[in-house]
Amino acid sequence: MNGRTTGRTLVAGYKRVLLKLSGEVFGGGKVGVDPDVVQAIAREVKAVADAGVQIAVVTGGGNFFRGAELQQRGMDRVRADYMGMLGIVMNCLALQDFLEKQGVETRVQTAITMGQVAEPYIPRRAIRHMEKGRVVIFGAGMGLPYFSTDTVAVQRALESKCDVVLVAKSGVDGVYSADPNVDPNAVKYDELTYDDAIAQGLRIMDQTAFALCGENKLPMIVFGMEPEGNILRVVQGERIGTRVSAG
């Protein structure tokens, strides 16, 4: 891990991180955006940026549309996935608004060109923004149908040279041997290798994302969003949640 001294604090964890958030978090479990929830997420991201850690964010769009679910209801999958990408952009703009209200410089980069609301996705520009202390939010998924935001998160982390992917979950505090909400005997893992997780069939992210992480030796930390402040704790090196690595 990388240490870095800033003007206000000593960061003992990572220098540059990518935070993966689900779309459902933005809606507070409902369709649309819950402003109170997004404001709380913005406070957490601000705390990370204030600590001198460079941070990028990838969100889902499940609080608006899920391409696979729309396909099951008879919609063309390609068109449904593009609708989902637009939902992601709405989440990105909401998070950007609350971050900038808190004084955090933020840039949204999208994989689908929409110049009036966001920059195009350019990895080197994203890195430069982060080096200047700006938060970068990646929107519109991969810009292609059939790719999940799990895969997008790992791809963006690799291309922007992040040290780790942080997967923040709501309602669960790490990776378990089974669903802890169903199986009272489920065991939480503090550490896992990608090979072990695949061998045990643990569903952490989709298989493409998982394979990308494993092949490129990019570590991942899966942790609960509750209580507030957990994102900063993970970034600064506190051992919470489950760390997944290449071994």
Side-chain angles (χ1 to χ4, degrees), residues 3-6 8-13 51 236:
R4 181 184 178 194
T5 303
T6 71
R8 280 174 289 178
T9 187
L10 176 66
V11 176
Q236 292 184 323

Side-chain angles (χ1 to χ4, degrees), residues 184-207:
N185 297 314
V187 176
K188 179 187 172 188
Y189 298 102
D190 293 326
E191 295 198 20
L192 271 173
T193 66
Y194 289 108
D195 288 343
D196 287 342
I198 291 170
Q200 295 179 48
L202 301 176
R203 295 185 62 83
I204 302 170
M205 297 181 105
D206 71 55
Q207 290 299 308

